[in-house]
Amino acid sequence: MHELAPLVPEEPFVLSSRPPSPGQQRLALGIVLGLTLALYLVVGPFGGMQFGAIPSFVAVYTSAMFVTDAITAILLYAQFSVLRSSAILVIASGYLFTALLIVPYVLAFPGVLAPHGLIGGTQTTAHIYLLWHCGFPLFVIGYALTKDEHPSRRYSQRAVRSAIVRSVALTAAGAAAATALSMSEAVLPRIMLDESRFVPDWLYVVAAPVASLCIVALVVLWLRRRSILDLFLMVVLCAYLIEIPPHYFPFPARFSTGWYAVRVTSLLSSSIVLIVLLYEITALYGGLLDAVLRQRREREVRLMTGGAVAASIAHEIRQPLTAMITSADAGFRFLDRATPHLDRAKEALQRIVADGHRAGTVVESIRASFKNDDRTRTSLDVNELIREALSLEDGDLRTHRILVRAEAAGQLPEVRGNRGQLQQVLINLITNAIHAMAAEEEPRVLCVKSEAHQGTDVVVSVADTGAGIGSHDRDRIFNPLFTTKSDGMGMGLSICRAIIEAHEGRLTVFPNTPRGAVFQFTLRGIDSASARA
Ligand code: ADP
């Protein structure tokens, strides 16, 4: 037996609500280990080397960081506009904050735009770095603390735009304040001895606050971790932590091997969430395309039978019905005279009888279209048909959180039949079961079972835990045009029965226990059919 877990939390498709797969967890661990290994393999043997300032490197690295952080922020704001959760707004602001701080960082960096920086003094870039690396974990803590808020507390659709504008304005104000703070060299502790050497107590002034905030953020995230976004934010924080020692060892200065190596790894770590977001968007797009194609295929199959039959019944029956009404009117007129014209009235009645027979023939000919036409029949594996039908309905089953139990018999006789028609029967029965369960309490269970019967035939049953069918309706549901749904056509089950009977089988219904309905049909196996022949 194969079971599909009832998945689908509220928003099944997005990074910030989907739990990470074991593969994604392994990838996250691999990134942390890979970054650590790469960094320390470079810094270990070559850590003592000094390369001097390479302004173009700083310009390129900061521009790339700005672009990745800004795009990540934009994508997270876009996710916020869909989910409207405060947590996403907070983390989007975090990425915007880091992107905005990169601008004064590069403006103040000595040698990039001006020999001693375009703004601020010797301490400015180091102060900005400190505030940036303390600020981001604070945003992550804010994200982690708000991410479990009750859905009812989310922003309303109307408030989304103003929330984004407010967040961008506040973040920009925060980044401006941080820049001002960094430029007034007296407020924050001294970090640089000169333009390249750090103060000896760099460990306490920079490393300690950054590391403690990252560790707190990691712990809070770890305790509340649930989604892919949580996982990869933990990776970013780990990267922040492993980047600290190479700044300091073997000596606390800029432009060492460690310093340059850290710029490269921090560019990689700042792109992690962006890469995951882009990957998710591509996967989502693929999934969406797949779902649309499936839906279209399914609709086509349905229209092919339901629509065609309904249209042909309406079209073919209208003509004899109109003729019957005309003849009946004429009959009335002949009888309504002062001297009733009995012969003509009799003729009118005979025409009504003939038209009635004609209507019957029309219905029969429609039924005949489902009858044995051996040219359209092939030998079929019923279990495969069930698998295909379930996969076509997968989207609806997940949406309604329906647990699927497919109990396929191992050794099933092959049947001969029209693949499209039998597929249609299964799809109709499964769709009806989904509709019947949609409004019911969980657990909602759909059990599709195949069994061998008397060694040669196959019995298929589709059982649900829906509302079930009242005893007075049990026979009527197979009548054409009987429906209890506001948008139903009432054709599905009558078509199913016609198809199964055309395959010399039987479609029946009985109550499921403890609730719901079981639709069961038999199909003759190839061996039993040839034995009869
Ligand atoms: P339609 O789906 O258009 O209503 P169908 O012929 O498929 O037409 O079904 C006829 C009626 O039978 C439905 O309207 C519904 O009331 C009932 N029915 C069918 N399947 C089920 C089911 N699994 N559980 C309960 N009622 C069902």
Side-chain angles (χ1 to χ4, degrees), residues 432-433 436 464 468-469 477 482-485 488-493 517 519:
N432 277 347
D464 62 57
I469 299 162
I477 55 169
F482 174 82
T483 180
T484 54
K485 303 169 193 165
M489 270 172 64
M491 290 300 298
L493 287 179
F519 283 84

Side-chain angles (χ1 to χ4, degrees), residues 144-213:
L145 293 178
T146 46
K147 76 194 202 60
D148 291 337
E149 74 182 354
H150 194 267
S152 62
R153 300 197 51 207
R154 293 188 176 178
Y155 285 84
S156 68
Q157 185 69 56
R158 278 206 321 235
V160 163
R161 190 178 297 176
S162 58
I164 293 178
V165 171
R166 232 184 2 255
S167 144
V168 171
L170 281 176
T171 310
T179 309
L181 201 65
S182 310
M183 284 167 66
S184 72
E185 311 233 320
V187 183
L188 291 171
R190 198 159 156 254
I191 298 176
M192 305 301 297
L193 284 176
D194 53 39
E195 285 184 351
S196 64
R197 286 178 309 139
F198 299 133
V199 290
D201 56 354
W202 185 90
L203 265 187
Y204 305 102
V205 184
V206 178
V210 172
S212 0
L213 282 170

Side-chain angles (χ1 to χ4, degrees), residues 428-429 432-437 462 464 466-469 473 476-479 481-485 487-496 509 516-519:
N428 264 313
L429 296 182
N432 277 347
I434 294 173
H435 290 162
M437 287 189 280
V462 177
D464 62 57
I469 299 162
D473 279 340
R476 292 199 295 165
I477 55 169
F478 293 100
N479 292 345
L481 306 178
F482 174 82
T483 180
T484 54
K485 303 169 193 165
D487 58 346
M489 270 172 64
M491 290 300 298
L493 287 179
S494 71
I495 291 170
C496 290
V509 62
V518 184
F519 283 84

Side-chain angles (χ1 to χ4, degrees), residues 408-441:
Q411 292 289 318
L412 214 54
E414 273 201 331
V415 300
R416 189 169 173 79
N418 182 310
R419 184 183 192 82
Q421 288 176 1
L422 292 177
Q423 189 65 271
Q424 182 57 22
V425 171
L426 281 166
I427 288 177
N428 264 313
L429 296 182
I430 294 170
T431 312
N432 277 347
I434 294 173
H435 290 162
M437 287 189 280
E440 294 299 306
E441 290 292 314

Side-chain angles (χ1 to χ4, degrees), residues 19 77 86 106 109 121 125 173 282-283 331 351 408 417 424 461 498 508:
Y77 276 122
S86 323
V106 75
F109 205 94
T125 42
T282 319
R351 280 203 303 277
Q424 182 57 22
S461 59
T508 51

